[in-house]
């Protein structure tokens, strides 16, 4: 018997009262799970949480970044739950997923939930259940899909990711409405590399989140402002009534001249029927994408161009509300947008890029 085998055998024997008892060899149990991570909670250095069956410890202050995250703030402490992960059986001998490990396209891993995933794109160890762009579920023992499924309409954000971004959204803001609106501007979230496309989607949705309180508000809440959005000096006036052009939709379209311009661009009668924006989800999303793609606002470029040219997320803020928030106007509001953007790029598995502030 080899020395190693002898040591293993010896470890399994206990001599008690002259009798030899055989002790079954068992793996060490996983640690108990810490309190579940919460998106709205603030965590300081040393705080421990659990997420998707693993414990994590914060290295510094963080909020809204789901473990394992993309900034390095979370230290992986290992599996939790008081039990062990059963070994793969049969032909399912793929390795366990390890955060931070480089995985090439086609790599197959076993995640902490016991399911298998295949890398659809090269990635540096992104979480398979968060980044559906980089990972797809895989039936162990099967063959890798030759044509991995894509999201509806070719959108770079899956419905599951959309729901994760907006857990308390108003039912009016449907994912299907957003996908249906994509055909209005083919370059939206389809320009540049895969990373740039996801950064643009995250930037758009982060600003939308800020403007609507997480897609909760369909119309502007301050009704006292409603009569102020009619500019009678325009040649077409305000045919729907002076108080009809209040803020609506994901970017809160307001003023008669914006309804007129958006309606002309989209082929919709928004000047005479602005209520379409609050009654039709696809129309609401189209008006937001119209502004994003075509309007400089207080900035020097469209929000779309800011993201696809590398000008950065800060310039999207300037294009939407820069005259009030940028250059020290309201740093708290700017930080709110930036924090949300950092959360959303984390969900989509891409870096935030430079120039986050304005």
């Amino acid at each position: 018997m080899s020395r190693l085998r002898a040591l293993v055998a010896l470890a399994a024997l206990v001599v008690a009262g002259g009798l030899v008892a055989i002790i079954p060899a068992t793996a060490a149990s996983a640690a108990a799970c810490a309190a579940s991570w919460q998106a709205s909670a603030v965590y300081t250095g040393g705080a421990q949480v659990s997420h998707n069956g693993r414990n994590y410890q914060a290295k510094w202050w963080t909020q809204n970044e789901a473990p394992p995250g993309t900034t390095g703030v979370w230290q992986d402490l290992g599996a939790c739950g008081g039990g062990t992960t059963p070994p793969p059986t049969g032909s399912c001998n793929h390795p366990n997923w390890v955060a931070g490990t480089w995985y090439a396209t086609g790599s197959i891993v076993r995640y902490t939930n016991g399911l298998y995933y295949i890398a659809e794109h090269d990635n540096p160890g992104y979480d398979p259940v968060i980044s559906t762009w980089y990972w797809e579920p895989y039936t162990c023992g099967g063959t890798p899909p030759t044509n991995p499924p894509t999201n509806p309409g070719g959108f770079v954000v899956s419905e599951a990711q959309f729901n994760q971004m907006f857990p308390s959204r108003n039912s009016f803001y449907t994912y299907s409405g957003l996908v249906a609106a994509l055909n209005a501007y083919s370059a939206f979230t389809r320009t540049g590399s895969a990373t740039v496309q996801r950064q643009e989607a995250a930037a758009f949705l982060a600003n939308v989140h800020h403007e609507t309180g997480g897609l909760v508000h369909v119309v502007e809440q301050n009704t006292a402002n409603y009569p102020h959005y009619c500019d009678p000096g325009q040649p077409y006036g305000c045919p729907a009534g002076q108080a009809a052009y209040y803020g609506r939709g994901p970017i809160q379209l307001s003023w008669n001249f914006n309804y007129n311009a958006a309606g002309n661009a989209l082929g919709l009668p928004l000047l005479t029927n602005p209520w379409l924006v609050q009654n039709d989800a696809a129309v609401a999303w189209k008006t937001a994408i119209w502004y994003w793609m075509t309007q400089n606002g207080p900035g020097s470029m469209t929000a779309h161009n800011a993201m696809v040219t590398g000008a950065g997320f800060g310039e999207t803020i300037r294009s939407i509300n820069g005259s009030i928030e940028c250059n020290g106007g309201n740093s708290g509001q700017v930080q709110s947008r930036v924090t949300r953007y950092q959360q959303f790029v984390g969900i989509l598995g891409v870096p935030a890029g430079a120039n986050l502030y304005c």
Side-chain angles (χ1 to χ4, degrees):
M1 179 181 295
S2 69
R3 187 170 184 272
L4 176 61
R5 291 176 61 193
L7 288 173
V8 172
L10 181 61
L13 298 178
V14 175
V15 179
L19 298 176
V20 177
I22 299 178
I23 308 298
T26 59
S29 295
C33 286
S36 297
W37 172 82
Q38 301 293 326
S40 60
V42 172
Y43 299 101
T44 55
Q48 293 188 9
V49 299
S50 63
H51 188 58
N52 291 332
R54 300 185 74 81
N55 280 331
Y56 296 87
Q57 181 169 295
K59 298 178 184 177
W60 56 79
W61 186 99
T62 183
Q63 183 181 26
N64 292 319
E65 182 173 352
T70 59
T71 65
V73 65
W74 291 110
Q75 177 183 353
D76 190 339
L77 301 180
C80 68
T84 58
T85 302
T89 59
S91 61
C92 303
N93 57 355
H94 304 294
N96 290 332
W97 169 80
V98 178
T101 298
W102 179 263
Y103 293 105
T105 301
S107 299
I108 300 171
V109 297
R110 186 178 191 277
Y111 189 56
T112 56
N113 59 9
L115 302 178
Y116 290 85
Y117 296 83
I118 184 168
E120 187 181 1
H121 299 89
D122 294 354
N123 70 89
Y126 293 134
D127 192 312
V129 300
I130 293 178
S131 181
T132 57
W133 165 252
Y134 290 102
W135 295 98
E136 289 290 341
Y138 176 73
T139 301
C140 188
T143 56
T146 55
N147 295 301
T150 57
N151 297 329
F155 192 34
V156 296
V157 179
S158 70
E159 185 167 8
Q161 290 168 330
F162 178 75
N163 290 336
Q164 184 180 354
M165 293 171 176
F166 301 100
S168 302
R169 63 182 170 84
N170 189 305
S171 60
F172 170 77
Y173 290 114
T174 60
Y175 178 77
S176 59
L178 173 54
V179 171
L182 298 179
N183 61 11
Y185 290 92
S186 60
F188 174 68
T189 68
R190 296 188 180 110
T191 302
S193 68
T195 294
V196 170
Q197 292 175 26
R198 280 153 183 74
Q199 287 173 335
E200 182 181 9
F204 172 78
L205 293 172
N207 279 299
V208 160
H209 191 291
H210 181 84
E211 295 293 319
T212 61
L215 287 184
V216 171
H217 302 305
V218 178
V219 301
E220 184 175 353
Q221 297 301 289
N222 186 357
T223 57
N225 281 342
Y226 285 14
H228 299 161
Y229 296 120
C230 171
D231 179 4
Q234 299 295 332
Y236 40 77
C238 301
Q242 179 161 344
Y245 301 100
Y246 50 86
R248 297 178 176 90
I251 295 191
Q252 295 289 282
L253 185 72
S254 56
W255 289 96
N256 57 330
F257 47 81
N258 280 326
Y259 278 89
N260 182 66
N264 289 340
L266 299 170
L268 296 167
L270 300 185
L271 184 65
T272 56
N273 187 4
W275 297 278
L276 278 174
V277 182
Q278 69 188 72
N279 294 328
D280 188 314
V283 171
W285 283 113
K286 284 181 180 181
T287 62
I289 296 173
W290 164 80
Y291 189 94
W292 183 268
M293 297 296 295
T294 68
Q295 302 300 298
N296 292 354
S300 61
M301 65 187 75
T302 66
H304 168 73
N305 284 338
M307 295 308 298
V308 303
T309 64
F313 179 74
E315 289 302 312
T316 72
I317 303 174
R318 193 181 302 278
S319 297
I320 292 173
N321 206 25
S323 60
I324 296 176
E325 296 181 16
C326 294
N327 302 319
N330 193 325
S331 59
Q333 294 295 300
V334 171
Q335 185 60 58
S336 171
R337 295 180 194 263
V338 171
T339 298
R340 194 64 60 182
Y341 172 64
Q342 291 173 320
Q343 178 193 5
F344 287 2
V345 291
I347 290 173
L348 298 181
V350 294
N355 305 320
L356 298 184
Y357 295 86
C358 63

